[in-house]
Amino acid sequence: MSYDLVIIGAGPAGLTAGIYAAARKLNAVILEAGDGGGQPGNVYPEKPMANYPGLPVNETRDLMARFSEHALKAGCDIRRRERALDIADKGDVLLVHSEKAEYETKAVILATGGGLYKPKRLGAVGEEEFEGRGVYYRLPETHLLEGKRVLFVGGGNSALEMALLCATMPDTYTCLVHRRDTFRADACNVDRLGPEGVKTYLCSEVAEIKGKDKVESVILKVGDPPELEEMPIDMVVIHIGFTTEPEDIKRWGIEPQDGLIKVGTDMRTSRRGVFACGDIVTYPGKYKQIVVACGEAATAANSAYKYIAKPYWA
Ligand SMILES: Cc1cc2nc3c(=O)[nH]c(=O)nc-3n(C[C@H](O)[C@H](O)[C@H](O)COP(=O)(O)OP(=O)(O)OC[C@H]3O[C@@H](n4cnc5c(N)ncnc54)[C@H](O)[C@@H]3O)c2cc1C
């Protein structure tokens, strides 16, 4: 596969770089290790966003949904769940290796921001042992839920929306466990739980996940003071947030400065053909904000265009 530009990361910076690259008609691909949306979509999706000019939103994930929609409408090719692993030299071009493919490209924009988002673990006994065999951190494909007893963990909109979706599948038993006495989610979701058949356990925690080859039951600590209750369960879906894990910049062939990438005013890095933008970059006065990441992304895409196409005005 041969491209003009490979953009790594689909947070605010990567999506903006994609929009600007599309305007220049660069043949570009965006590789995203997770589902995209960067920190705003994964770390603080329910926080109001008051400082993105012209688009204040009550929930930041709505802003990121707009970014994503805009990028897709502009014609960006976004490959989700495809982590970029390294960048090799091949004569005048670069080779980006991902978990799934190899991309020959004239230029690269690194927009890896805060790094990779890993789902938070509960720390319950059996959780690690049964991961992928009944313990999940994303909703499994809905047809796999049919006829299953599914326990969700979490108190935000994402956990509730997943549980509500599961409850619509044929012959499922759906329950939702949250350690606090109220849900964080919107009232419109909370009010649907009972009527749509989701059994709730507040002030409760998963103490142990049990089974032989796969999950068969769960021991819950229910209420305050806690009482132990074992229930037959086929799947445990945990959605209690994300932690970030920084990417190793040395893998991109760039010498890090305090764990970040030093760039010039045109967002050029020390490596030929490689540009960077967003939270991964550093320079005097750098301010880690979405609007800044977007501004740098526009510059990075323009610099990559000049590097690739060498227009008369460059
Ligand atoms: C709690 C919190 C609150 C904040 N509040 C605000 C606020 O109110 N207003 C504001 O403007 N800013 C806020 N920020 C800062 C803002 O979120 C960041 O400045 C912005 O997200 C940076 O965007 P980015 O695209 O550079 O990086 P990120 O948002 O970190 O996105 C990077 C993307 O790259 C992906 N990625 C990483 N490595 C790879 C790889 N190897 N291959 C493929 N994909 C990869 C990641 O999965 C991720 O999707 C806040 C930050 C935090 C933590």
Side-chain angles (χ1 to χ4, degrees):
M1 283 182 278
S2 188
Y3 289 87
D4 291 326
L5 179 64
V6 173
I7 298 166
I8 304 177
L15 291 170
T16 306
I19 291 166
Y20 275 78
R24 291 285 192 194
K25 297 250 181 240
L26 291 178
N27 175 21
V29 62
I30 304 178
L31 304 180
E32 166 55 50
D35 287 328
Q39 296 164 60
N42 294 289
V43 180
Y44 56 100
E46 289 158 11
K47 183 177 103 97
M49 171 64 56
N51 55 11
Y52 191 80
L55 263 183
V57 286
N58 290 330
E59 292 195 349
T60 301
R61 65 172 153 199
D62 293 339
L63 179 67
M64 291 325 295
R66 282 173 180 251
F67 266 62
S68 201
E69 204 179 307
H70 188 167
L72 290 170
K73 266 199 188 141
C76 295
D77 177 359
I78 307 173
R79 311 265 168 101
R80 296 179 201 276
R81 309 224 185 144
E82 184 171 347
R83 181 180 174 198
L85 300 174
D86 61 49
I87 308 170
D89 288 311
K90 187 187 168 196
D92 280 352
V93 295
L94 298 163
L95 279 184
V96 176
H97 297 273
S98 80
E99 288 168 330
K100 296 184 181 164
E102 187 180 89
Y103 301 85
E104 189 174 296
T105 183
K106 294 172 188 160
V108 171
I109 294 181
L110 291 170
T112 51
L116 302 172
Y117 304 104
K118 301 269 178 202
K120 277 190 190 158
R121 317 276 161 181
L122 286 176
V125 177
E127 180 183 4
E128 209 180 315
E129 182 186 345
F130 291 109
E131 185 171 345
R133 294 188 293 133
V135 172
Y136 305 100
Y137 296 89
R138 297 177 195 278
L139 188 64
E141 288 180 35
T142 45
H143 68 93
L144 298 174
L145 305 170
E146 287 180 22
K148 297 284 182 347
R149 296 162 299 195
V150 191
L151 181 146
F152 289 83
V153 186
N157 280 315
S158 307
L160 269 70
E161 282 164 10
M162 285 198 284
L164 286 163
L165 177 65
C166 178
T168 65
M169 301 309 293
D171 307 319
T172 53
Y173 167 76
T174 310
C175 63
L176 177 65
V177 174
H178 184 42
R179 66 195 166 105
R180 304 212 183 266
D181 60 357
T182 48
F183 290 108
R184 272 185 296 127
D186 291 342
C188 63
N189 282 328
V190 177
D191 291 351
R192 287 172 56 206
L193 292 171
E196 298 198 20
V198 179
K199 166 111 174 113
T200 55
Y201 292 88
L202 289 167
C203 299
S204 302
E205 282 178 44
V206 174
E208 188 174 346
I209 301 168
K210 294 172 64 177
K212 288 195 187 91
D213 299 330
K214 56 188 176 52
V215 171
E216 290 170 8
S217 70
V218 161
I219 298 178
L220 283 188
K221 264 194 227 164
V222 181
D224 188 15
E227 282 182 16
L228 294 182
E229 190 179 309
E230 182 163 1
M231 59 175 75
I233 285 291
D234 303 303
M235 286 184 185
V236 179
V237 182
I238 300 161
H239 203 84
I240 54 169
F242 292 84
T243 51
T244 53
E245 205 174 86
E247 279 280 17
D248 182 5
I249 290 160
K250 284 193 179 155
R251 279 196 300 110
W252 310 121
I254 295 162
E255 200 49 44
Q257 181 176 312
D258 300 328
L260 297 166
I261 298 175
K262 205 170 140 189
V263 284
T265 50
D266 59 357
M267 298 296 132
R268 195 178 287 260
T269 70
S270 57
R271 186 167 179 185
R272 192 168 161 272
V274 180
F275 302 82
C277 52
D279 276 14
I280 192 67
V281 307
T282 182
Y283 49 81
K286 166 72 186 179
Y287 187 26
K288 287 188 179 176
Q289 288 283 284
I290 295 174
V291 74
V292 176
C294 296
E296 292 165 356
T299 304
N302 203 40
S303 299
Y305 172 71
K306 287 185 192 173
Y307 173 80
I308 295 162
K310 302 185 177 51
Y312 72 89
W313 46 265

